[in-house]
Coordinates of all heavy atoms in Angstrom, one line a residue:
L1 N -16.5 -9.6 8.2 CA -16.7 -8.9 9.5 C -18.0 -9.3 10.1 O -18.1 -9.5 11.3 CB -16.6 -7.4 9.3 CG -16.5 -6.6 10.5 CD1 -15.3 -6.9 11.4 CD2 -16.5 -5.1 10.2
L2 N -19.0 -9.5 9.3 CA -20.3 -9.9 9.9 C -20.2 -11.3 10.5 O -20.9 -11.6 11.5 CB -21.4 -9.9 8.8 CG -21.9 -8.5 8.3 CD1 -22.9 -8.6 7.2 CD2 -22.5 -7.7 9.5
L3 N -19.4 -12.2 9.9 CA -19.3 -13.5 10.4 C -18.5 -13.5 11.8 O -18.8 -14.2 12.7 CB -18.5 -14.4 9.4 CG -19.3 -14.8 8.2 CD1 -18.4 -15.6 7.2 CD2 -20.5 -15.7 8.6
V4 N -17.5 -12.6 11.9 CA -16.8 -12.4 13.1 C -17.8 -12.0 14.2 O -17.8 -12.5 15.3 CB -15.7 -11.4 13.0 CG1 -15.1 -11.0 14.4 CG2 -14.6 -12.0 12.2
W5 N -18.6 -11.0 13.9 CA -19.6 -10.5 14.8 C -20.7 -11.5 15.1 O -21.2 -11.6 16.2 CB -20.3 -9.2 14.4 CG -19.3 -8.0 14.3 CD1 -19.2 -7.1 13.3 CD2 -18.5 -7.5 15.3 NE1 -18.2 -6.2 13.6 CE2 -17.8 -6.4 14.9 CE3 -18.2 -8.0 16.6 CZ2 -16.8 -5.7 15.6 CZ3 -17.2 -7.3 17.4 CH2 -16.6 -6.2 16.9
S6 N -21.0 -12.4 14.1 CA -21.9 -13.5 14.4 C -21.4 -14.4 15.4 O -22.1 -14.8 16.3 CB -22.2 -14.2 13.1 OG -22.8 -13.4 12.1
T7 N -20.1 -14.8 15.3 CA -19.5 -15.7 16.2 C -19.4 -15.0 17.6 O -19.5 -15.6 18.6 CB -18.1 -16.1 15.7 OG1 -18.2 -16.6 14.4 CG2 -17.6 -17.3 16.6
F8 N -19.1 -13.7 17.6 CA -19.0 -12.9 18.8 C -20.4 -13.0 19.5 O -20.5 -13.2 20.7 CB -18.7 -11.5 18.5 CG -18.5 -10.6 19.7 CD1 -17.3 -10.7 20.4 CD2 -19.4 -9.6 20.0 CE1 -17.1 -9.8 21.5 CE2 -19.2 -8.8 21.1 CZ -18.1 -8.9 21.8
A9 N -21.5 -12.9 18.7 CA -22.8 -13.0 19.3 C -23.2 -14.3 19.8 O -24.0 -14.5 20.8 CB -23.8 -12.6 18.2
V10 N -22.6 -15.4 19.3 CA -22.8 -16.8 19.8 C -22.5 -16.9 21.3 O -23.2 -17.4 22.1 CB -22.0 -17.8 18.9 CG1 -22.0 -19.1 19.7 CG2 -22.6 -17.9 17.6
G11 N -21.3 -16.3 21.6 CA -20.9 -16.3 23.0 C -22.0 -15.6 23.9 O -22.3 -16.1 25.0
F12 N -22.5 -14.5 23.4 CA -23.6 -13.8 24.2 C -24.8 -14.6 24.2 O -25.6 -14.6 25.2 CB -23.8 -12.5 23.5 CG -22.8 -11.4 23.9 CD1 -21.6 -11.3 23.1 CD2 -22.9 -10.6 25.0 CE1 -20.7 -10.4 23.4 CE2 -22.0 -9.7 25.3 CZ -20.8 -9.5 24.5
A13 N -25.1 -15.3 23.2 CA -26.4 -16.1 23.1 C -26.4 -17.2 24.2 O -27.5 -17.5 24.7 CB -26.6 -16.7 21.8
F14 N -25.2 -17.7 24.6 CA -25.2 -18.7 25.6 C -25.0 -18.2 27.0 O -25.0 -18.9 28.0 CB -24.1 -19.7 25.3 CG -24.5 -20.7 24.3 CD1 -24.4 -20.5 22.9 CD2 -24.9 -22.0 24.7 CE1 -24.8 -21.4 22.0 CE2 -25.3 -23.0 23.8 CZ -25.3 -22.7 22.4
R15 N -24.9 -16.8 27.2 CA -24.8 -16.3 28.5 C -26.0 -16.6 29.4 O -25.8 -16.9 30.6 CB -24.5 -14.8 28.4 CG -23.1 -14.4 28.1 CD -22.9 -13.0 27.8 NE -23.2 -12.1 29.0 CZ -23.0 -10.8 29.1 NH1 -22.5 -10.2 28.0 NH2 -23.2 -10.2 30.2
P16 N -27.2 -16.5 28.9 CA -28.4 -16.8 29.7 C -28.4 -18.2 30.2 O -28.8 -18.5 31.4 CB -29.6 -16.5 28.8 CG -29.1 -15.5 27.8 CD -27.7 -15.9 27.6
I17 N -27.9 -19.1 29.4 CA -27.8 -20.5 29.8 C -26.8 -20.6 31.0 O -27.0 -21.3 32.0 CB -27.4 -21.5 28.7 CG1 -28.5 -21.4 27.6 CG2 -27.3 -22.9 29.1 CD1 -28.2 -22.1 26.3
G18 N -25.6 -20.0 30.8 CA -24.6 -19.9 31.9 C -25.2 -19.3 33.1 O -24.9 -19.7 34.2
A19 N -26.0 -18.3 32.9 CA -26.6 -17.6 34.1 C -27.5 -18.6 34.9 O -27.6 -18.6 36.1 CB -27.4 -16.4 33.6
I20 N -28.3 -19.4 34.1 CA -29.2 -20.4 34.8 C -28.4 -21.4 35.5 O -28.6 -21.8 36.7 CB -30.1 -21.0 33.7 CG1 -31.1 -19.9 33.2 CG2 -30.9 -22.2 34.3 CD1 -31.9 -20.4 32.0
L21 N -27.4 -22.0 34.8 CA -26.6 -23.0 35.4 C -25.8 -22.6 36.6 O -25.9 -23.2 37.7 CB -25.6 -23.6 34.3 CG -24.5 -24.6 34.8 CD1 -25.2 -25.8 35.3 CD2 -23.6 -24.9 33.6
F22 N -25.0 -21.5 36.4 CA -24.2 -21.1 37.5 C -24.9 -20.3 38.6 O -24.5 -20.2 39.7 CB -23.0 -20.2 37.0 CG -22.0 -21.1 36.2 CD1 -21.9 -20.9 34.8 CD2 -21.3 -22.0 36.8 CE1 -21.0 -21.7 34.0 CE2 -20.4 -22.8 36.0 CZ -20.3 -22.6 34.7
G23 N -26.1 -19.7 38.1 CA -26.9 -19.1 39.1 C -27.5 -20.1 40.1 O -27.6 -19.9 41.3
F24 N -27.9 -21.3 39.5 CA -28.4 -22.4 40.4 C -27.3 -22.8 41.3 O -27.5 -23.0 42.5 CB -28.8 -23.5 39.4 CG -29.3 -24.7 40.1 CD1 -30.7 -24.9 40.3 CD2 -28.5 -25.7 40.6 CE1 -31.3 -26.0 40.9 CE2 -29.1 -26.8 41.3 CZ -30.4 -26.9 41.4
L25 N -26.0 -23.0 40.8 CA -24.9 -23.5 41.7 C -24.6 -22.4 42.7 O -24.3 -22.7 43.8 CB -23.7 -23.8 40.8 CG -23.9 -24.9 39.8 CD1 -22.6 -25.1 39.0 CD2 -24.2 -26.2 40.6
G26 N -24.6 -21.1 42.3 CA -24.3 -20.1 43.2 C -25.3 -19.9 44.4 O -24.9 -19.6 45.5
D27 N -26.5 -20.2 44.1 CA -27.5 -20.1 45.2 C -27.6 -21.4 46.0 O -28.1 -21.4 47.1 CB -28.9 -19.9 44.6 CG -29.1 -18.4 44.2 OD1 -28.6 -17.6 44.8 OD2 -29.8 -18.2 43.2
K28 N -27.1 -22.5 45.4 CA -27.1 -23.8 46.1 C -25.7 -24.1 46.9 O -25.7 -24.5 48.0 CB -27.3 -24.9 45.2 CG -28.8 -24.9 44.6 CD -29.8 -25.4 45.6 CE -29.7 -26.9 45.8 NZ -30.7 -27.4 46.7
L29 N -24.6 -23.8 46.2 CA -23.3 -24.2 46.7 C -22.5 -23.0 47.2 O -21.5 -23.3 48.0 CB -22.5 -24.9 45.6 CG -23.2 -26.2 45.0 CD1 -22.3 -26.7 43.9 CD2 -23.5 -27.2 46.0
G30 N -22.8 -21.8 46.8 CA -22.1 -20.7 47.3 C -21.6 -19.8 46.2 O -21.4 -20.2 45.1
R31 N -21.3 -18.5 46.6 CA -20.9 -17.5 45.6 C -19.4 -17.8 45.2 O -19.0 -17.7 44.0 CB -21.0 -16.1 46.1 CG -22.2 -15.7 47.0 CD -23.5 -16.2 46.5 NE -24.6 -15.5 47.2 CZ -25.9 -15.8 47.2 NH1 -26.2 -16.8 46.5 NH2 -26.8 -15.0 47.8
K32 N -18.5 -18.1 46.2 CA -17.1 -18.1 45.9 C -16.7 -19.2 45.0 O -16.1 -19.0 43.9 CB -16.4 -18.3 47.3 CG -14.9 -18.6 47.1 CD -14.2 -18.9 48.4 CE -12.8 -19.4 48.2 NZ -12.1 -19.7 49.4
Y33 N -17.1 -20.4 45.2 CA -16.7 -21.6 44.4 C -17.3 -21.5 43.0 O -16.7 -22.0 42.1 CB -17.0 -22.9 45.1 CG -16.1 -23.0 46.4 CD1 -16.7 -22.9 47.6 CD2 -14.8 -23.3 46.3 CE1 -15.9 -23.0 48.8 CE2 -14.0 -23.4 47.4 CZ -14.5 -23.2 48.7 OH -13.7 -23.3 49.8
T34 N -18.5 -20.9 42.9 CA -19.1 -20.9 41.6 C -18.3 -20.0 40.7 O -18.0 -20.3 39.5 CB -20.5 -20.3 41.7 OG1 -21.3 -21.3 42.5 CG2 -21.2 -20.3 40.3
F35 N -17.9 -18.8 41.2 CA -17.1 -17.9 40.2 C -15.6 -18.3 40.1 O -14.9 -17.8 39.3 CB -17.3 -16.4 40.4 CG -16.8 -15.8 41.7 CD1 -15.7 -16.2 42.3 CD2 -17.5 -14.7 42.2 CE1 -15.2 -15.6 43.5 CE2 -17.1 -14.0 43.3 CZ -15.9 -14.5 43.9
L36 N -15.2 -19.3 40.9 CA -13.9 -19.9 40.6 C -14.0 -20.8 39.4 O -13.1 -20.9 38.6 CB -13.4 -20.8 41.8 CG -12.8 -20.0 43.0 CD1 -12.6 -21.0 44.2 CD2 -11.5 -19.3 42.7
V37 N -15.1 -21.5 39.3 CA -15.3 -22.4 38.1 C -15.5 -21.5 36.9 O -14.9 -21.9 35.8 CB -16.6 -23.2 38.3 CG1 -16.9 -24.0 37.1 CG2 -16.4 -24.2 39.5
T38 N -16.2 -20.4 36.9 CA -16.5 -19.6 35.7 C -15.2 -19.0 35.2 O -14.9 -19.0 34.0 CB -17.5 -18.5 36.0 OG1 -17.0 -17.6 37.0 CG2 -18.8 -19.1 36.5
V39 N -14.3 -18.5 36.1 CA -13.1 -17.9 35.6 C -12.1 -19.0 35.0 O -11.4 -18.7 34.0 CB -12.4 -17.1 36.7 CG1 -11.7 -18.0 37.7 CG2 -11.4 -16.1 36.1
T40 N -12.2 -20.2 35.5 CA -11.3 -21.3 35.0 C -11.8 -21.7 33.6 O -11.0 -21.8 32.7 CB -11.4 -22.5 35.9 OG1 -10.9 -22.1 37.2 CG2 -10.5 -23.6 35.4
L41 N -13.1 -21.8 33.4 CA -13.7 -22.2 32.1 C -13.3 -21.1 31.1 O -13.0 -21.4 30.0 CB -15.2 -22.4 32.3 CG -15.9 -22.8 31.0 CD1 -15.4 -24.1 30.5 CD2 -17.4 -22.9 31.3
M42 N -13.5 -19.8 31.5 CA -13.2 -18.7 30.5 C -11.7 -18.7 30.1 O -11.4 -18.6 28.9 CB -13.6 -17.4 31.2 CG -13.2 -16.2 30.3 SD -14.2 -16.1 28.8 CE -15.7 -15.3 29.5
G43 N -10.8 -18.9 31.1 CA -9.4 -18.8 30.7 C -9.0 -19.9 29.8 O -8.2 -19.7 28.8
I44 N -9.5 -21.1 30.0 CA -9.1 -22.3 29.2 C -9.7 -22.1 27.8 O -9.0 -22.4 26.8 CB -9.6 -23.6 29.8 CG1 -8.8 -23.9 31.1 CG2 -9.4 -24.8 28.9 CD1 -9.4 -25.1 31.9
A45 N -10.9 -21.7 27.7 CA -11.6 -21.5 26.4 C -10.9 -20.4 25.6 O -10.7 -20.5 24.3 CB -13.0 -21.2 26.5
T46 N -10.5 -19.3 26.2 CA -9.8 -18.2 25.5 C -8.4 -18.7 25.0 O -8.1 -18.4 23.8 CB -9.6 -17.0 26.4 OG1 -10.9 -16.6 26.9 CG2 -9.0 -15.9 25.7
A47 N -7.7 -19.4 25.8 CA -6.4 -19.9 25.4 C -6.5 -20.8 24.2 O -5.7 -20.8 23.2 CB -5.7 -20.6 26.5

């Protein structure tokens, strides 16, 4: 169970990096297209 929660935490550990990357794109390219990319990446990874 601790290993499951460790892997769960790995996703959270990379959230700040995603915030920097997509925050940069959101402020440069726009709000709409940035969160189109994020939802696509999430759906593919989950499947």
Side-chain angles (χ1 to χ4, degrees):
L1 191 58
L2 288 177
L3 289 176
V4 170
W5 292 131
S6 298
T7 312
F8 187 73
V10 166
F12 282 88
F14 278 82
R15 281 174 63 176
I17 299 175
I20 294 170
L21 172 62
F22 292 111
F24 183 94
L25 296 176
D27 284 326
K28 291 285 288 184
L29 304 179
R31 320 319 194 188
K32 171 186 173 180
Y33 292 105
T34 300
F35 67 33
L36 283 173
V37 174
T38 63
V39 76
T40 301
L41 181 60
M42 176 66 83
I44 293 173
T46 303

